[in-house]
mmCIF file with all atom_site columns, all heavy atoms in Angstrom:
data_model
loop_
_atom_site.group_PDB
_atom_site.id
_atom_site.type_symbol
_atom_site.label_atom_id
_atom_site.label_alt_id
_atom_site.label_comp_id
_atom_site.label_asym_id
_atom_site.label_entity_id
_atom_site.label_seq_id
_atom_site.pdbx_PDB_ins_code
_atom_site.Cartn_x
_atom_site.Cartn_y
_atom_site.Cartn_z
_atom_site.occupancy
_atom_site.B_iso_or_equiv
_atom_site.pdbx_formal_charge
_atom_site.auth_seq_id
_atom_site.auth_comp_id
_atom_site.auth_asym_id
_atom_site.auth_atom_id
_atom_site.pdbx_PDB_model_num
ATOM 1   N N   . LEU A 1 32 ? 69.178 81.261 31.875 1.00 88.00 ? 34 LEU A N   1
ATOM 2   C CA  . LEU A 1 32 ? 68.960 80.667 33.193 1.00 88.00 ? 34 LEU A CA  1
ATOM 3   C C   . LEU A 1 32 ? 69.948 79.543 33.461 1.00 88.00 ? 34 LEU A C   1
ATOM 4   O O   . LEU A 1 32 ? 70.531 79.444 34.552 1.00 88.00 ? 34 LEU A O   1
ATOM 5   C CB  . LEU A 1 32 ? 67.527 80.131 33.296 1.00 88.00 ? 34 LEU A CB  1
ATOM 6   C CG  . LEU A 1 32 ? 66.433 81.126 33.684 1.00 88.00 ? 34 LEU A CG  1
ATOM 7   C CD1 . LEU A 1 32 ? 65.076 80.436 33.690 1.00 88.00 ? 34 LEU A CD1 1
ATOM 8   C CD2 . LEU A 1 32 ? 66.719 81.719 35.048 1.00 88.00 ? 34 LEU A CD2 1
ATOM 9   N N   . GLY A 1 33 ? 70.141 78.660 32.460 1.00 89.00 ? 35 GLY A N   1
ATOM 10  C CA  . GLY A 1 33 ? 71.071 77.555 32.627 1.00 89.00 ? 35 GLY A CA  1
ATOM 11  C C   . GLY A 1 33 ? 72.488 78.026 32.853 1.00 89.00 ? 35 GLY A C   1
ATOM 12  O O   . GLY A 1 33 ? 73.200 77.528 33.734 1.00 89.00 ? 35 GLY A O   1
ATOM 13  N N   . GLY A 1 34 ? 72.916 79.020 32.064 1.00 86.00 ? 36 GLY A N   1
ATOM 14  C CA  . GLY A 1 34 ? 74.270 79.540 32.209 1.00 86.00 ? 36 GLY A CA  1
ATOM 15  C C   . GLY A 1 34 ? 74.487 80.212 33.544 1.00 86.00 ? 36 GLY A C   1
ATOM 16  O O   . GLY A 1 34 ? 75.533 80.015 34.192 1.00 86.00 ? 36 GLY A O   1
ATOM 17  N N   . MET A 1 35 ? 73.520 81.027 33.982 1.00 87.00 ? 37 MET A N   1
ATOM 18  C CA  . MET A 1 35 ? 73.655 81.707 35.270 1.00 87.00 ? 37 MET A CA  1
ATOM 19  C C   . MET A 1 35 ? 73.668 80.706 36.421 1.00 87.00 ? 37 MET A C   1
ATOM 20  O O   . MET A 1 35 ? 74.395 80.890 37.413 1.00 87.00 ? 37 MET A O   1
ATOM 21  C CB  . MET A 1 35 ? 72.508 82.704 35.448 1.00 87.00 ? 37 MET A CB  1
ATOM 22  C CG  . MET A 1 35 ? 72.563 83.888 34.493 1.00 87.00 ? 37 MET A CG  1
ATOM 23  S SD  . MET A 1 35 ? 73.944 85.007 34.796 1.00 87.00 ? 37 MET A SD  1
ATOM 24  C CE  . MET A 1 35 ? 73.375 85.845 36.258 1.00 87.00 ? 37 MET A CE  1
ATOM 25  N N   . THR A 1 36 ? 72.897 79.635 36.297 1.00 89.00 ? 38 THR A N   1
ATOM 26  C CA  . THR A 1 36 ? 72.887 78.598 37.339 1.00 89.00 ? 38 THR A CA  1
ATOM 27  C C   . THR A 1 36 ? 74.245 77.912 37.432 1.00 89.00 ? 38 THR A C   1
ATOM 28  O O   . THR A 1 36 ? 74.763 77.672 38.534 1.00 89.00 ? 38 THR A O   1
ATOM 29  C CB  . THR A 1 36 ? 71.795 77.555 37.031 1.00 89.00 ? 38 THR A CB  1
ATOM 30  O OG1 . THR A 1 36 ? 70.515 78.200 36.978 1.00 89.00 ? 38 THR A OG1 1
ATOM 31  C CG2 . THR A 1 36 ? 71.765 76.477 38.102 1.00 89.00 ? 38 THR A CG2 1
ATOM 32  N N   . MET A 1 37 ? 74.850 77.609 36.280 1.00 86.00 ? 39 MET A N   1
ATOM 33  C CA  . MET A 1 37 ? 76.162 76.959 36.285 1.00 86.00 ? 39 MET A CA  1
ATOM 34  C C   . MET A 1 37 ? 77.235 77.856 36.886 1.00 86.00 ? 39 MET A C   1
ATOM 35  O O   . MET A 1 37 ? 78.140 77.391 37.584 1.00 86.00 ? 39 MET A O   1
ATOM 36  C CB  . MET A 1 37 ? 76.556 76.566 34.855 1.00 86.00 ? 39 MET A CB  1
ATOM 37  C CG  . MET A 1 37 ? 75.744 75.431 34.264 1.00 86.00 ? 39 MET A CG  1
ATOM 38  S SD  . MET A 1 37 ? 76.308 74.987 32.606 1.00 86.00 ? 39 MET A SD  1
ATOM 39  C CE  . MET A 1 37 ? 77.957 74.372 32.959 1.00 86.00 ? 39 MET A CE  1
ATOM 40  N N   . MET A 1 38 ? 77.134 79.167 36.629 1.00 84.00 ? 40 MET A N   1
ATOM 41  C CA  . MET A 1 38 ? 78.178 80.074 37.097 1.00 84.00 ? 40 MET A CA  1
ATOM 42  C C   . MET A 1 38 ? 77.980 80.526 38.540 1.00 84.00 ? 40 MET A C   1
ATOM 43  O O   . MET A 1 38 ? 78.939 80.621 39.301 1.00 84.00 ? 40 MET A O   1
ATOM 44  C CB  . MET A 1 38 ? 78.246 81.303 36.184 1.00 84.00 ? 40 MET A CB  1
ATOM 45  C CG  . MET A 1 38 ? 78.744 81.021 34.773 1.00 84.00 ? 40 MET A CG  1
ATOM 46  S SD  . MET A 1 38 ? 79.043 82.533 33.815 1.00 84.00 ? 40 MET A SD  1
ATOM 47  C CE  . MET A 1 38 ? 77.395 83.259 33.740 1.00 84.00 ? 40 MET A CE  1
ATOM 48  N N   . PHE A 1 39 ? 76.725 80.818 38.926 1.00 81.00 ? 41 PHE A N   1
ATOM 49  C CA  . PHE A 1 39 ? 76.493 81.459 40.220 1.00 81.00 ? 41 PHE A CA  1
ATOM 50  C C   . PHE A 1 39 ? 75.485 80.741 41.117 1.00 81.00 ? 41 PHE A C   1
ATOM 51  O O   . PHE A 1 39 ? 75.272 81.170 42.249 1.00 81.00 ? 41 PHE A O   1
ATOM 52  C CB  . PHE A 1 39 ? 76.019 82.908 40.012 1.00 81.00 ? 41 PHE A CB  1
ATOM 53  C CG  . PHE A 1 39 ? 76.945 83.716 39.167 1.00 81.00 ? 41 PHE A CG  1
ATOM 54  C CD1 . PHE A 1 39 ? 76.588 84.098 37.884 1.00 81.00 ? 41 PHE A CD1 1
ATOM 55  C CD2 . PHE A 1 39 ? 78.196 84.094 39.639 1.00 81.00 ? 41 PHE A CD2 1
ATOM 56  C CE1 . PHE A 1 39 ? 77.441 84.856 37.095 1.00 81.00 ? 41 PHE A CE1 1
ATOM 57  C CE2 . PHE A 1 39 ? 79.059 84.847 38.862 1.00 81.00 ? 41 PHE A CE2 1
ATOM 58  C CZ  . PHE A 1 39 ? 78.684 85.229 37.585 1.00 81.00 ? 41 PHE A CZ  1
ATOM 59  N N   . GLY A 1 40 ? 74.844 79.702 40.594 1.00 83.00 ? 42 GLY A N   1
ATOM 60  C CA  . GLY A 1 40 ? 73.880 78.986 41.418 1.00 83.00 ? 42 GLY A CA  1
ATOM 61  C C   . GLY A 1 40 ? 72.446 79.349 41.077 1.00 83.00 ? 42 GLY A C   1
ATOM 62  O O   . GLY A 1 40 ? 72.154 80.359 40.420 1.00 83.00 ? 42 GLY A O   1
ATOM 63  N N   . TRP A 1 41 ? 71.541 78.503 41.543 1.00 84.00 ? 43 TRP A N   1
ATOM 64  C CA  . TRP A 1 41 ? 70.125 78.624 41.196 1.00 84.00 ? 43 TRP A CA  1
ATOM 65  C C   . TRP A 1 41 ? 69.490 79.899 41.734 1.00 84.00 ? 43 TRP A C   1
ATOM 66  O O   . TRP A 1 41 ? 68.683 80.539 41.074 1.00 84.00 ? 43 TRP A O   1
ATOM 67  C CB  . TRP A 1 41 ? 69.390 77.390 41.720 1.00 84.00 ? 43 TRP A CB  1
ATOM 68  C CG  . TRP A 1 41 ? 67.911 77.396 41.471 1.00 84.00 ? 43 TRP A CG  1
ATOM 69  C CD1 . TRP A 1 41 ? 66.914 77.474 42.393 1.00 84.00 ? 43 TRP A CD1 1
ATOM 70  C CD2 . TRP A 1 41 ? 67.251 77.325 40.199 1.00 84.00 ? 43 TRP A CD2 1
ATOM 71  N NE1 . TRP A 1 41 ? 65.691 77.457 41.789 1.00 84.00 ? 43 TRP A NE1 1
ATOM 72  C CE2 . TRP A 1 41 ? 65.868 77.368 40.431 1.00 84.00 ? 43 TRP A CE2 1
ATOM 73  C CE3 . TRP A 1 41 ? 67.720 77.232 38.878 1.00 84.00 ? 43 TRP A CE3 1
ATOM 74  C CZ2 . TRP A 1 41 ? 64.932 77.310 39.413 1.00 84.00 ? 43 TRP A CZ2 1
ATOM 75  C CZ3 . TRP A 1 41 ? 66.779 77.186 37.858 1.00 84.00 ? 43 TRP A CZ3 1
ATOM 76  C CH2 . TRP A 1 41 ? 65.412 77.221 38.120 1.00 84.00 ? 43 TRP A CH2 1
ATOM 77  N N   . ASN A 1 42 ? 69.850 80.285 42.957 1.00 84.00 ? 44 ASN A N   1
ATOM 78  C CA  . ASN A 1 42 ? 69.223 81.462 43.560 1.00 84.00 ? 44 ASN A CA  1
ATOM 79  C C   . ASN A 1 42 ? 69.532 82.731 42.764 1.00 84.00 ? 44 ASN A C   1
ATOM 80  O O   . ASN A 1 42 ? 68.673 83.596 42.567 1.00 84.00 ? 44 ASN A O   1
ATOM 81  C CB  . ASN A 1 42 ? 69.700 81.624 45.007 1.00 84.00 ? 44 ASN A CB  1
ATOM 82  C CG  . ASN A 1 42 ? 69.120 80.559 45.916 1.00 84.00 ? 44 ASN A CG  1
ATOM 83  O OD1 . ASN A 1 42 ? 68.061 80.003 45.625 1.00 84.00 ? 44 ASN A OD1 1
ATOM 84  N ND2 . ASN A 1 42 ? 69.810 80.278 47.016 1.00 84.00 ? 44 ASN A ND2 1
ATOM 85  N N   . THR A 1 43 ? 70.773 82.845 42.291 1.00 81.00 ? 45 THR A N   1
ATOM 86  C CA  . THR A 1 43 ? 71.140 84.005 41.484 1.00 81.00 ? 45 THR A CA  1
ATOM 87  C C   . THR A 1 43 ? 70.387 84.008 40.162 1.00 81.00 ? 45 THR A C   1
ATOM 88  O O   . THR A 1 43 ? 69.926 85.057 39.686 1.00 81.00 ? 45 THR A O   1
ATOM 89  C CB  . THR A 1 43 ? 72.659 84.014 41.214 1.00 81.00 ? 45 THR A CB  1
ATOM 90  O OG1 . THR A 1 43 ? 73.360 84.039 42.460 1.00 81.00 ? 45 THR A OG1 1
ATOM 91  C CG2 . THR A 1 43 ? 73.057 85.221 40.375 1.00 81.00 ? 45 THR A CG2 1
ATOM 92  N N   . ALA A 1 44 ? 70.252 82.816 39.555 1.00 82.00 ? 46 ALA A N   1
ATOM 93  C CA  . ALA A 1 44 ? 69.530 82.719 38.285 1.00 82.00 ? 46 ALA A CA  1
ATOM 94  C C   . ALA A 1 44 ? 68.071 83.128 38.456 1.00 82.00 ? 46 ALA A C   1
ATOM 95  O O   . ALA A 1 44 ? 67.519 83.865 37.630 1.00 82.00 ? 46 ALA A O   1
ATOM 96  C CB  . ALA A 1 44 ? 69.622 81.294 37.748 1.00 82.00 ? 46 ALA A CB  1
ATOM 97  N N   . ILE A 1 45 ? 67.441 82.664 39.529 1.00 85.00 ? 47 ILE A N   1
ATOM 98  C CA  . ILE A 1 45 ? 66.043 83.027 39.788 1.00 85.00 ? 47 ILE A CA  1
ATOM 99  C C   . ILE A 1 45 ? 65.924 84.521 40.072 1.00 85.00 ? 47 ILE A C   1
ATOM 100 O O   . ILE A 1 45 ? 64.951 85.179 39.678 1.00 85.00 ? 47 ILE A O   1
ATOM 101 C CB  . ILE A 1 45 ? 65.479 82.200 40.968 1.00 85.00 ? 47 ILE A CB  1
ATOM 102 C CG1 . ILE A 1 45 ? 65.297 80.742 40.535 1.00 85.00 ? 47 ILE A CG1 1
ATOM 103 C CG2 . ILE A 1 45 ? 64.153 82.770 41.443 1.00 85.00 ? 47 ILE A CG2 1
ATOM 104 C CD1 . ILE A 1 45 ? 64.316 80.555 39.391 1.00 85.00 ? 47 ILE A CD1 1
ATOM 105 N N   . GLY A 1 46 ? 66.921 85.082 40.755 1.00 83.00 ? 48 GLY A N   1
ATOM 106 C CA  . GLY A 1 46 ? 66.920 86.522 41.006 1.00 83.00 ? 48 GLY A CA  1
ATOM 107 C C   . GLY A 1 46 ? 66.936 87.309 39.701 1.00 83.00 ? 48 GLY A C   1
ATOM 108 O O   . GLY A 1 46 ? 66.245 88.321 39.558 1.00 83.00 ? 48 GLY A O   1
ATOM 109 N N   . MET A 1 47 ? 67.741 86.844 38.732 1.00 80.00 ? 49 MET A N   1
ATOM 110 C CA  . MET A 1 47 ? 67.770 87.486 37.418 1.00 80.00 ? 49 MET A CA  1
ATOM 111 C C   . MET A 1 47 ? 66.412 87.372 36.738 1.00 80.00 ? 49 MET A C   1
ATOM 112 O O   . MET A 1 47 ? 65.911 88.335 36.145 1.00 80.00 ? 49 MET A O   1
ATOM 113 C CB  . MET A 1 47 ? 68.846 86.844 36.544 1.00 80.00 ? 49 MET A CB  1
ATOM 114 C CG  . MET A 1 47 ? 68.897 87.404 35.121 1.00 80.00 ? 49 MET A CG  1
ATOM 115 S SD  . MET A 1 47 ? 70.086 86.570 34.040 1.00 80.00 ? 49 MET A SD  1
ATOM 116 C CE  . MET A 1 47 ? 69.320 84.958 33.884 1.00 80.00 ? 49 MET A CE  1
ATOM 117 N N   . LEU A 1 48 ? 65.782 86.198 36.838 1.00 79.00 ? 50 LEU A N   1
ATOM 118 C CA  . LEU A 1 48 ? 64.486 85.981 36.198 1.00 79.00 ? 50 LEU A CA  1
ATOM 119 C C   . LEU A 1 48 ? 63.414 86.873 36.799 1.00 79.00 ? 50 LEU A C   1
ATOM 120 O O   . LEU A 1 48 ? 62.497 87.319 36.105 1.00 79.00 ? 50 LEU A O   1
ATOM 121 C CB  . LEU A 1 48 ? 64.088 84.509 36.327 1.00 79.00 ? 50 LEU A CB  1
ATOM 122 C CG  . LEU A 1 48 ? 62.764 84.091 35.687 1.00 79.00 ? 50 LEU A CG  1
ATOM 123 C CD1 . LEU A 1 48 ? 62.797 84.337 34.189 1.00 79.00 ? 50 LEU A CD1 1
ATOM 124 C CD2 . LEU A 1 48 ? 62.464 82.622 35.965 1.00 79.00 ? 50 LEU A CD2 1
ATOM 125 N N   . SER A 1 49 ? 63.545 87.161 38.088 1.00 81.00 ? 51 SER A N   1
ATOM 126 C CA  . SER A 1 49 ? 62.518 87.982 38.745 1.00 81.00 ? 51 SER A CA  1
ATOM 127 C C   . SER A 1 49 ? 62.699 89.472 38.502 1.00 81.00 ? 51 SER A C   1
ATOM 128 O O   . SER A 1 49 ? 61.732 90.237 38.537 1.00 81.00 ? 51 SER A O   1
ATOM 129 C CB  . SER A 1 49 ? 62.529 87.707 40.256 1.00 81.00 ? 51 SER A CB  1
ATOM 130 O OG  . SER A 1 49 ? 63.757 88.110 40.823 1.00 81.00 ? 51 SER A OG  1
ATOM 131 N N   . SER A 1 50 ? 63.942 89.900 38.237 1.00 83.00 ? 52 SER A N   1
ATOM 132 C CA  . SER A 1 50 ? 64.194 91.343 38.100 1.00 83.00 ? 52 SER A CA  1
ATOM 133 C C   . SER A 1 50 ? 64.300 91.822 36.656 1.00 83.00 ? 52 SER A C   1
ATOM 134 O O   . SER A 1 50 ? 63.856 92.934 36.327 1.00 83.00 ? 52 SER A O   1
ATOM 135 C CB  . SER A 1 50 ? 65.486 91.715 38.839 1.00 83.00 ? 52 SER A CB  1
ATOM 136 O OG  . SER A 1 50 ? 66.595 91.038 38.286 1.00 83.00 ? 52 SER A OG  1
ATOM 137 N N   . THR A 1 51 ? 64.874 91.003 35.781 1.00 80.00 ? 53 THR A N   1
ATOM 138 C CA  . THR A 1 51 ? 65.150 91.458 34.408 1.00 80.00 ? 53 THR A CA  1
ATOM 139 C C   . THR A 1 51 ? 63.895 91.827 33.613 1.00 80.00 ? 53 THR A C   1
ATOM 140 O O   . THR A 1 51 ? 63.898 92.850 32.917 1.00 80.00 ? 53 THR A O   1
ATOM 141 C CB  . THR A 1 51 ? 65.967 90.399 33.642 1.00 80.00 ? 53 THR A CB  1
ATOM 142 O OG1 . THR A 1 51 ? 67.185 90.155 34.347 1.00 80.00 ? 53 THR A OG1 1
ATOM 143 C CG2 . THR A 1 51 ? 66.292 90.875 32.227 1.00 80.00 ? 53 THR A CG2 1
ATOM 144 N N   . PRO A 1 52 ? 62.815 91.014 33.668 1.00 81.00 ? 54 PRO A N   1
ATOM 145 C CA  . PRO A 1 52 ? 61.626 91.402 32.886 1.00 81.00 ? 54 PRO A CA  1
ATOM 146 C C   . PRO A 1 52 ? 61.128 92.801 33.215 1.00 81.00 ? 54 PRO A C   1
ATOM 147 O O   . PRO A 1 52 ? 60.812 93.589 32.317 1.00 81.00 ? 54 PRO A O   1
ATOM 148 C CB  . PRO A 1 52 ? 60.602 90.326 33.270 1.00 81.00 ? 54 PRO A CB  1
ATOM 149 C CG  . PRO A 1 52 ? 61.424 89.140 33.620 1.00 81.00 ? 54 PRO A CG  1
ATOM 150 C CD  . PRO A 1 52 ? 62.639 89.697 34.296 1.00 81.00 ? 54 PRO A CD  1
#
Side-chain angles (χ1 to χ4, degrees):
L34 276 178
M37 292 292 285
T38 301
M39 290 182 65
M40 292 189 297
F41 305 109
W43 178 247
N44 289 335
T45 301
I47 289 298
M49 177 184 68
L50 181 61
S51 64
S52 62
T53 302

